[in-house]
Amino acid sequence: MDCKSWGSRDIVFLCIIVLSLIHVSLGAKVRHFKWEVEYMYGAPDCQEHVVMGINGQFPGPTIRAKAGDTIVVDLTNKLHTEGVVIHWHGIRQLGTPWADGTASISQCAINPGETFEYRFKVDRPGTYFYHGHYGMQRSAGLYGSLIVDMADGEKEPFHYDAEFNLLLSDWWHKSVHEQEVGLSSNPFRWIGEPQSLLINGRGQYNCSLAAKFSNSSISQCKFEGYEKCAPQVLKVRPNKTYRLRIASTTALASLNLAIEGHKMVVVEADGNHVQPSAVNDLDIYSGESYSVLLKTDQNPYKNYWVSIGVRGRDPKTNQALTLLSYSATPASKLPTTQPPVTPRWDDYNHSKAFTKSIYALMGSPQPPKTYDRRIILLNTQNRLNGFVKWAINNVSLVLPSTPYLGSIKFGLNNAFDRKTPPDNYDSSYDIMKPATNQNTTQGSGVYTITLNTTVDVILQNANALAKDVSEIHPWHLHGHDFWVLGYGEGKFKNGDEKTFNLKNPPLRNTAVIFPFGWTALRFVADNPGVWAFHCHIEPHLHMGMGVIFAQGAHRVGQIPKEALACGLTGNKQNVDA
């Protein structure tokens, strides 16, 4: 094809785009996986418990693909008494909203013995992961890594010699079923703090590695009887640059990561390139992912601690530890120094300084200058007939039996609440004090957004039920990235938008709201479907902390009937039309 023969400069430009798309599609592959989800015995922290695994693995298998590839996962539910779905966290599911993996939102839960095919394209490189999105199965261990490399012929805007993947999580000895019952009981029974923090599914509970740091520590952990709980040592060569892909699938804990004696340079956040910034440690909240560059420029005859600790909550959980081990030094040689100390859990200035230092790389997409609709979401802890709930604008989310995607597309008007949730809250509400009226309502209503419009969301934090308590909440949007325009203290008010960063705000899919503060987001509603937007803390979502955004659902093409054959949709004759 000869573009120059077309004549017009615009047509030539269009021709080049078409040719590049043809090139990408020719180089793309379809990658098939067959997975079986089941409960199994494991010892993530050297204490044997039941975990959720995939093909006998915990964490689940790592998916590795290139941008433009199509992923096909045939997922068989081998659980005996419960359904399952898997959400592909950070993948926008352009054209495949039914593959988002959200029970009662994008699809039916996959019943025991059934197989469901997830088929979707990974259109952008980055560090992602997947996890269960039914009940609290993520907390039970249903998660794994999803890494998307640059397409053939494309290069990252930074250099590195090799890479490591660090998937961070927290772990309880109490089963998720017991946790769920406690959260739904009156009186309320909180799940408590995790017993362990895990790095790639490995941690040490009541192990000397986390206490004495003696030369026998790692071997003693192995002697607990489960070698698979021993930390995975990061073996490096001197004077090289390593990329560390870090993702957090924690159910509750906000974390801080530091590497003794080494700085890190942040270069990616949630699959988007950011301006390189050097840090001594980084905070990472549930649902977030980062890439950092690490130079091995320290004494090669020593080993160095890699430390992960709890932030934002009074920590009752030991730090997770592993080693950065230079090739000249045996991994069995533990440092004689103490591991890096996690910043004090309530040092929010430290957290805010790091979070606000993330800016988009020059040349990244910029946000529209104005918005078409603003939705202000007040996060509160409430009571419903004596039960403790989380609510958004005084509505605690409860999911219907029929997936929203099918019920909206096929006009099943009785499948969920038809009343639209409020776009704002009572301006007289005092966010600094427990609510005078703590009662809430439940609802399954939907925010219907006009396709291709620009939406601003202001996440407003408030006091919880207890006096002088306001928690960190990381919010995750399905189907989109958003620009993080800014953060503020206290109640968002008219005029605060003057502080918004419209020049180089980072594109993210997860953003944190700090205690007694607000966070401003902007996104373009350009992806037809029905999408969850929720706090990524597992018990908070279980207790109602989320909303549903629907846009252009009638434009979604053919949906696999297996995704919709439950509830009212299951009785519809033309469900696969």
Side-chain angles (χ1 to χ4, degrees):
M1 184 182 294
D2 182 7
C3 289
K4 294 181 179 179
S5 65
W6 288 30
S8 166
R9 182 192 307 174
D10 292 338
I11 295 177
V12 170
F13 181 67
L14 177 61
C15 178
I16 293 172
I17 293 177
V18 171
L19 286 176
S20 64
L21 290 174
I22 292 173
H23 171 73
V24 170
S25 64
L26 289 176
K29 294 182 178 179
V30 179
R31 300 179 186 269
H32 291 267
F33 304 89
K34 289 187 180 295
W35 286 1
E36 293 182 347
V37 176
E38 59 189 339
Y39 284 109
M40 63 186 201
Y41 285 105
D45 63 356
C46 304
Q47 306 290 309
E48 187 175 70
H49 288 276
V50 170
V51 303
M52 292 193 81
I54 298 174
N55 294 350
Q57 297 181 43
F58 166 78
T62 295
I63 289 180
R64 190 119 203 177
K66 292 184 178 181
D69 286 351
T70 296
I71 303 296
V72 181
V73 177
D74 291 320
L75 186 76
T76 300
N77 181 0
K78 302 285 283 188
L79 308 173
H80 296 295
T81 59
E82 59 190 288
V84 70
V85 296
I86 288 189
H87 168 57
W88 314 95
H89 188 106
I91 306 301
R92 293 179 295 175
Q93 300 294 348
L94 299 173
T96 54
W98 50 265
D100 190 46
T102 47
S104 296
I105 301 171
S106 65
Q107 70 170 107
C108 304
I110 306 165
N111 288 323
E114 291 182 347
T115 298
F116 182 82
E117 181 188 85
Y118 287 103
R119 179 182 290 266
F120 55 92
K121 180 176 286 189
V122 287
D123 62 311
R124 298 174 308 160
T127 304
Y128 308 103
F129 59 98
Y130 61 84
H131 59 80
H133 215 292
Y134 181 67
M136 291 177 59
Q137 291 177 347
R138 171 161 56 96
S139 186
L142 185 53
Y143 48 75
S145 295
L146 198 171
I147 307 299
V148 183
D149 294 309
M150 300 290 286
D152 290 337
E154 303 291 330
K155 291 185 178 180
E156 298 276 14
F158 46 83
H159 166 78
Y160 57 99
D161 299 297
E163 70 178 54
F164 294 101
N165 185 44
L166 301 181
L167 186 63
L168 313 181
S169 52
D170 41 15
W171 186 247
W172 282 257
H173 293 169
K174 183 188 299 182
S175 76
V176 292
H177 300 108
E178 187 175 350
Q179 292 180 42
E180 288 172 344
V181 172
L183 294 172
S184 304
S185 294
N186 185 7
F188 179 70
R189 298 187 183 188
W190 176 237
I191 64 172
E193 301 303 310
Q195 275 65 66
S196 306
L197 303 177
L198 308 181
I199 304 174
N200 292 338
R202 298 172 176 227
Q204 295 78 44
Y205 175 69
N206 279 347
C207 171
S208 58
L209 176 66
K212 299 178 182 178
F213 316 117
S214 67
N215 284 332
S216 62
S217 296
I218 289 182
S219 60
Q220 182 172 337
C221 288
K222 291 181 181 180
F223 292 156
E224 297 283 348
Y226 300 98
E227 186 173 344
K228 288 185 177 180
C229 67
Q232 291 181 334
V233 174
L234 309 184
K235 198 69 178 175
V236 297
R237 296 164 58 195
N239 300 314
K240 299 292 183 182
T241 299
Y242 290 84
R243 178 181 189 170
L244 273 59
R245 296 180 181 268
I246 309 163
S248 174
T249 185
T250 55
L252 175 65
S254 304
L255 301 176
N256 178 272
L257 182 146
I259 301 174
E260 180 188 7
H262 294 73
K263 283 186 175 292
M264 297 173 284
V265 177
V266 182
V267 292
E268 178 215 345
D270 293 355
N272 295 285
H273 294 133
V274 298
Q275 291 183 19
S277 59
V279 296
N280 293 317
D281 59 82
L282 65 84
D283 280 355
I284 181 167
Y285 302 96
S286 178
E288 292 186 327
S289 66
Y290 290 99
S291 281
V292 301
L293 300 181
L294 173 78
K295 289 187 176 180
T296 51
D297 54 4
Q298 300 300 302
N299 183 348
Y301 298 101
K302 291 177 58 180
N303 288 331
Y304 302 86
W305 290 113
V306 179
S307 172
I308 296 160
V310 173
R311 302 281 281 119
R313 304 183 65 85
D314 191 358
K316 304 292 192 296
T317 310
N318 284 331
Q319 291 175 284
L321 299 170
T322 189
L323 292 181
L324 187 74
S325 177
Y326 279 69
S327 56
T329 307
S332 59
K333 182 180 179 181
L334 297 189
T336 56
T337 53
Q338 293 286 314
V341 177
T342 303
R344 182 178 165 85
W345 70 272
D346 57 356
D347 183 358
Y348 295 117
N349 288 332
H350 185 95
S351 303
K352 293 172 185 177
F354 170 74
T355 302
K356 294 177 182 180
S357 71
I358 306 298
Y359 296 101
L361 188 66
M362 184 178 299
S364 299
Q366 290 188 311
K369 299 302 181 185
T370 59
Y371 63 89
D372 300 300
R373 182 179 178 182
R374 172 179 285 171
I375 301 173
I376 301 179
L377 301 178
L378 175 69
N379 298 252
T380 55
Q381 194 178 49
N382 301 76
R383 296 189 184 275
L384 179 67
N385 300 323
F387 295 88
V388 177
K389 299 290 182 182
W390 286 97
I392 305 302
N393 292 351
N394 209 43
V395 179
S396 184
L397 179 65
V398 56
L399 295 175
S401 59
T402 303
Y404 288 105
L405 182 61
S407 56
I408 294 175
K409 178 176 173 60
F410 295 114
L412 304 179
N413 296 327
N414 297 322
F416 59 91
D417 295 342
R418 303 308 298 175
K419 183 179 179 181
T420 301
D423 277 20
N424 206 336
Y425 65 97
D426 185 348
S427 61
S428 67
Y429 190 96
D430 188 349
I431 68 162
M432 305 302 294
K433 298 178 181 178
T436 304
N437 178 6
Q438 298 176 350
N439 293 325
T440 188
T441 59
Q442 278 188 320
S444 59
V446 173
Y447 288 93
T448 302
I449 298 172
T450 303
L451 196 62
N452 294 320
T453 58
T454 299
V455 181
D456 274 15
V457 176
I458 310 297
L459 294 167
Q460 177 67 65
N461 215 339
N463 203 108
L465 287 172
K467 186 175 183 294
D468 299 326
V469 173
S470 184
E471 298 188 24
I472 280 178
H473 300 291
W475 274 71
H476 171 59
L477 178 59
H478 293 230
H480 305 77
D481 282 353
F482 47 68
W483 291 276
V484 184
L485 301 185
Y487 305 87
E489 308 294 332
K491 183 187 290 187
F492 180 84
K493 59 187 181 300
N494 289 335
D496 282 340
E497 59 269 17
K498 293 179 181 178
T499 67
F500 287 177
N501 173 17
L502 299 178
K503 179 182 178 182
N504 55 2
L507 268 171
R508 306 294 299 263
N509 62 58
T510 303
V512 63
I513 340 173
F514 292 105
F516 299 112
W518 55 263
T519 300
L521 316 174
R522 179 169 293 176
F523 72 96
V524 178
D526 56 0
N527 191 5
V530 183
W531 308 104
F533 182 44
H534 61 89
C535 178
H536 209 259
I537 293 176
E538 191 87 310
H540 290 183
L541 174 59
H542 186 75
M543 295 163 64
M545 197 172 193
V547 298
I548 304 298
F549 291 153
Q551 55 192 264
H554 61 286
R555 296 195 182 188
V556 175
Q558 184 171 349
I559 304 172
K561 61 182 179 181
E562 295 83 3
L564 305 177
C566 59
L568 297 178
T569 341
N571 298 320
K572 191 165 182 63
Q573 296 298 314
N574 63 341
V575 69
D576 57 344

